[in-house]
Amino acid sequence: MKVPAWLRGAVDLVLTAVFVLVAISGIALYQAPPGRIADTIGWTFLGVTKDTWETVHTYLGFAMTGLVAVHLIIGFNSMVVMLKSAFKKSRVKVAGSLILISLVLVGGYSAFATLTAEEETTSETTSSEEISVTVDNTTIEITGSMLKSLTLEQLAEMYDVDPQKLVEILKADYNIEAQPDQLLEMVEANNELDREQFKEILAEAIAKAKQGGG
């Protein structure tokens, strides 16, 4: 069956557009903070929230799968003809190209599997290192991901306490210098604190701020 040139062009154009959008959504999700942190701090990428990017990425993935299938179907005969022609001219080059493509696919899969395993390990580690304190029926949880993603002010807002009050408690009770707009990880580093100890201090300080203590 002869396929019109305009159909081939239209499929290629749409496939290219979807590929670009999938790549952008993939970058957005890779950069997004883990878990509920993205919602807590109001994280966006190009003005779009993490949940929206996840939905876009999923549906575009399905669309791309269908477009690739159509692309292969309408171009299958041409592909076979070109491969036969190339194989007659130089079997070594064709074999080398196939091997190279296979290595790229295997390498890409290995990198993806490694990255996924690292993310799962990090998630499990973060969960196991979680510090929790319950005050007035409110559970205060401090994780390693929070230290990397949140400022002191964002953490205070997350638990509905005054950021300046939290700064004052950290200084008065724990001799920790901090500013509301500082990333928690920077506060930890600047004050040369042990990570587990710092998480406990933050949980205690928030509890004191909620109780109005200092």
Side-chain angles (χ1 to χ4, degrees):
M1 180 181 71
K2 187 175 181 181
V3 180
W6 66 266
L7 180 58
R8 291 174 181 269
V11 171
D12 288 347
L13 178 62
V14 176
L15 183 58
T16 300
V18 171
F19 170 79
V20 171
L21 292 174
V22 167
I24 293 173
S25 61
I27 293 171
L29 294 176
Y30 180 78
Q31 293 184 341
R36 64 178 184 178
I37 294 177
D39 292 331
T40 301
I41 65 177
W43 180 90
T44 62
F45 182 81
L46 299 179
V48 180
T49 64
K50 180 182 178 181
D51 288 342
T52 302
W53 277 121
E54 288 177 342
T55 302
V56 169
H57 192 73
T58 299
Y59 283 106
L60 285 177
F62 288 133
M64 190 171 183
T65 300
L67 286 167
V68 169
V70 173
H71 178 78
L72 290 175
I73 291 171
I74 65 178
F76 184 78
N77 290 335
S78 298
M79 180 178 65
V80 171
V81 170
M82 287 187 289
L83 285 175
K84 285 182 177 180
S85 176
F87 194 72
K88 289 179 180 179
K89 292 180 180 179
S90 178
R91 296 185 179 183
V92 175
K93 288 183 179 181
V94 174
S97 298
L98 293 175
I99 292 173
L100 180 60
I101 292 172
S102 299
L103 290 175
V104 170
L105 291 174
V106 172
Y109 175 78
S110 299
F112 176 76
T114 301
L115 180 61
T116 303
E118 288 177 352
E119 289 178 347
E120 290 177 352
T121 301
T122 299
S123 177
E124 291 173 0
T125 301
T126 298
S127 178
S128 64
E129 294 177 351
E130 180 181 280
I131 300 296
S132 297
V133 173
T134 301
V135 180
D136 296 334
N137 296 322
T138 300
T139 301
I140 301 167
E141 299 175 349
I142 307 296
T143 67
S145 296
M146 289 179 177
L147 299 188
K148 294 180 180 180
S149 305
L150 301 179
T151 63
L152 188 65
E153 183 175 19
Q154 289 169 336
L155 181 67
E157 291 175 350
M158 183 175 177
Y159 290 107
D160 195 27
V161 299
D162 180 17
Q164 194 57 47
K165 182 65 176 178
L166 188 56
V167 169
E168 293 171 0
I169 292 173
L170 288 173
K171 175 60 178 176
D173 294 5
Y174 305 97
N175 196 31
I176 294 176
E177 297 285 351
Q179 296 297 325
D181 60 350
Q182 273 187 304
L183 194 67
L184 292 171
E185 196 172 47
M186 289 301 298
V187 176
E188 174 194 357
N190 292 343
N191 290 274
E192 299 181 352
L193 299 168
D194 174 75
R195 171 145 298 191
E196 296 309 303
Q197 180 187 26
F198 185 43
K199 286 191 284 189
E200 291 179 4
I201 289 173
L202 284 172
E204 291 175 4
I206 291 171
K208 290 180 179 181
K210 290 185 75 66
Q211 292 174 334

